[in-house]
Amino acid sequence: MSATRTHPRRRRLAVLGAVALAIAACGSDATETAGGQPTDEVTTTVDGSVTDPPATPTTTTPANGGWLGGEPDWSGSTGDADAAEASASAADGDLATVEEDVAAGGDSSLESETIEPRTPGDDSIGPVPDEPLRAGSVDDGADFGGFLEYVDRVTENGFTARDLDVSGRIVVRVLDDTERPVPGIELVASQGESELVRVRTTADGTARFFPAMHGFDATAPVEFGVAVADTEPMAADPGTEITMVAPAAELASPVPLDVLFLLDATGSMGDEIDRLKRTIDTVADRVNQLDPRPDVRFAMTLYRDEGDAFVTSTFDFTSDIAVFRDALSDVVADGGGDYPEALDEGLADALTAPAWRDPSTAVQLVFLVADAPPQIARQVEMPYTDSIRTAAERGIKIFPIASSESDDVAELVFRQLAVTTGAPFVFLSYGAGGAATGGSTDIERTDYEELALDELVVRLIAEELAGLTGGDGEVPTPPTTVAPPTTNPDGQ
């Protein structure tokens, strides 16, 4: 742990959407109705039939300006004075004082909290003013054994997240008879008398199944069948990978792509957000170089915490970039108070509130940008572990982007979200100064390539689409790219 956490108030979040806006600049031909629901666009049904769009599609502004339930109140978060005093106490490493100060303001969220505050340390680790954000990533799915060792170690060190048993992972790859990936196809998993569980392949034609996470025996075989095709079921032992053959996917052209940005909108996110403004033009340029270009829509879900002006707020999917840009320009970073935030509630709303397209016909991605873990000590209606199951059922990948204040608990939660949905773990990096990871991380500087954040986000999207569009997944490398000091280890 290195940097002291503070909680600045009322900083502009307006361009956290920088990444989103910039990507959005590529535009889209999708037509939408007032709720964000797509209409009159090329769609593909489960049986493979295709509906053509009208000759001249139009786009209308979403209802309520796009905000579900109306635009939120950006100010009015409570307990700012108490939270500021609590933050100052945390800088001295006095957790007891923090709890007393916050409790005095009527916020009991820390009463059962076990997460220790970050301690003062090397101030060089954090965003550098006037420089673009840079990031790295690692794929725990490619080194799953190493990920399990990491989880064991941080747990032994006393850092815990919500209960999530990922042992016995099975990877199912679905290809057609030409060996192309079959995205968005629903698989049915069964084991003896256990209840049937449905999971869906992502853009690369793979699905990940975690037996214990779904109540199955993690030591016994699991049988998989294709929900919409007459194919022979296949059995897989825990810890193995299998390949199944299914009918070819009939995809619309351009490929429908839904991207939702899940943003921590508390005050501590201000530093990174301000720098994201400078990435808009470069991200837009590189996304426009993707060949072929996807039919992209954007949405965002913001979250803060209990006691703030709002806990969650969602802006529905739209292909109207001007509307999305206007919404982002109004967003304000505020509130927070204690370190953990309402990530559970934010993720639940991100998956259920906006008008996602049919998962059998669209690539669906969530980019979570945050610097703190959820309120693990708090009972919530839908914990993030349940949201992971929802994402698996719909084939949604969750790409967490850890920001500069992230600690061990935050890193553990973010890596759980990534590995269970098939995405890499992304984190801001600061060259020799380190990265936005916890003190118990197993990620070394030689494990990743450092890129400008905009370049990395565009590359991740391009890679998702490459197998479906015939593209190579490559985008021009910007001059800010820094090659890794050594060759990356296998799987990273």
Side-chain angles (χ1 to χ4, degrees):
M1 309 226 206
S2 49
T4 302
R5 179 180 178 83
T6 60
H7 296 277
R9 290 293 177 272
R10 304 187 188 284
R11 293 186 178 174
R12 277 279 176 190
L13 186 82
V15 189
L16 181 70
V19 179
L21 280 181
I23 296 176
C26 69
S28 170
D29 295 327
T31 302
E32 297 175 325
T33 65
Q37 294 281 9
T39 62
D40 297 330
E41 58 188 3
V42 175
T43 57
T44 306
T45 61
V46 172
D47 63 7
S49 60
V50 177
T51 302
D52 293 326
T56 308
T58 59
T59 302
T60 57
T61 301
N64 299 319
W67 291 103
L68 300 179
E71 184 172 353
D73 177 10
W74 299 116
S75 61
S77 57
T78 60
D80 280 1
D82 295 321
E85 185 178 354
S87 180
S89 298
D92 296 330
D94 188 352
L95 180 60
T97 303
V98 175
E99 292 175 335
E100 292 172 2
D101 290 345
V102 175
D107 185 349
S108 61
S109 60
L110 280 183
E111 290 179 359
S112 59
E113 185 56 75
T114 59
I115 300 172
E116 296 182 359
R118 297 176 67 89
T119 56
D122 181 2
D123 291 336
S124 67
I125 299 181
V128 178
D130 301 324
E131 290 189 5
L133 291 174
R134 304 173 67 75
S137 68
V138 295
D139 185 357
D140 285 323
D143 183 17
F144 192 65
F147 171 73
L148 294 178
E149 292 175 0
Y150 157 76
V151 172
D152 288 342
R153 186 177 65 259
V154 296
T155 301
E156 290 172 0
N157 289 344
F159 300 102
T160 59
R162 296 196 184 278
D163 186 26
L164 185 70
D165 187 348
V166 295
S167 60
R169 178 193 67 160
I170 299 171
V171 178
V172 182
R173 184 176 303 277
V174 183
L175 305 176
D176 63 23
D177 54 11
T178 66
E179 299 189 347
R180 287 176 59 88
V182 181
I185 195 167
E186 193 173 47
L187 304 176
V188 180
S190 61
Q191 185 186 71
E193 299 301 320
S194 298
E195 183 178 352
L196 298 179
V197 173
R198 294 174 182 267
V199 294
R200 195 177 293 273
T201 58
T202 50
D204 60 358
T206 63
R208 286 138 294 279
F209 187 80
F210 300 86
M213 192 174 81
H214 294 284
F216 284 30
D217 182 349
T219 65
V222 177
E223 189 170 80
F224 295 91
V226 177
V228 296
D230 185 17
T231 59
E232 195 69 25
M234 290 186 66
D237 291 324
T240 63
E241 299 186 13
I242 62 172
T243 300
M244 302 181 67
V245 178
E250 296 290 340
L251 297 175
S253 181
V255 173
L257 171 65
D258 285 350
V259 178
L260 181 140
F261 285 85
L262 175 58
L263 313 178
D264 178 346
T266 56
S268 62
M269 288 295 295
D271 290 341
E272 283 84 359
I273 291 162
D274 288 342
R275 283 164 187 76
L276 286 168
K277 293 180 180 179
R278 304 168 191 175
T279 69
I280 295 177
D281 291 338
T282 54
V283 171
D285 180 61
R286 288 172 191 147
V287 171
N288 276 323
Q289 293 180 49
L290 295 182
D291 185 20
R293 196 173 71 182
D295 166 19
V296 63
R297 302 188 312 162
F298 290 92
M300 63 177 166
T301 293
L302 313 176
Y303 67 91
R304 291 181 180 172
D305 207 355
E306 290 185 350
D308 291 330
F310 63 88
V311 177
T312 67
S313 184
T314 294
F315 187 84
D316 208 352
F317 281 105
T318 181
S319 57
D320 189 325
I321 305 310
V323 170
F324 191 58
R325 179 181 292 113
D326 287 345
L328 283 166
S329 68
D330 290 336
V331 177
V332 175
D334 194 10
D338 59 348
Y339 181 38
E341 312 295 1
L343 173 56
D344 291 290
E345 295 91 330
L347 182 56
D349 277 10
L351 298 182
T352 59
W356 292 88
R357 281 181 277 201
D358 185 338
S360 68
T361 64
V363 177
Q364 302 183 341
L365 310 176
V366 171
F367 285 88
L368 162 66
V369 187
D371 63 357
Q375 295 279 7
I376 295 169
R378 185 164 70 205
Q379 295 296 316
V380 295
E381 182 177 352
M382 188 171 183
Y384 72 85
T385 46
D386 286 354
S387 290
I388 287 174
R389 298 181 184 92
T390 298
E393 292 170 0
R394 291 164 48 187
I396 296 175
K397 284 191 177 183
I398 302 173
F399 296 80
I401 302 176
S403 298
S404 60
E405 301 291 348
S406 299
D407 69 356
D408 284 291
V409 180
E411 180 183 349
L412 175 58
V413 171
F414 296 162
R415 291 174 73 172
Q416 286 178 329
L417 292 170
V419 76
T420 52
T421 62
F425 167 55
V426 182
F427 45 88
L428 298 187
S429 56
Y430 314 106
T437 53
S440 301
T441 190
D442 61 342
I443 300 173
E444 303 289 344
R445 179 62 188 88
T446 54
D447 291 344
Y448 59 90
E449 181 181 11
E450 184 177 304
L451 301 170
L453 178 60
D454 55 357
E455 165 68 11
L456 180 55
V457 170
V458 175
R459 179 179 294 189
L460 291 171
I461 293 176
E463 290 173 351
E464 285 298 302
L465 298 174
L468 307 178
T469 63
D472 56 12
E474 294 294 327
V475 293
T477 302
T480 54
T481 297
V482 177
T486 63
T487 303
N488 289 351
D490 290 343
Q492 296 185 327

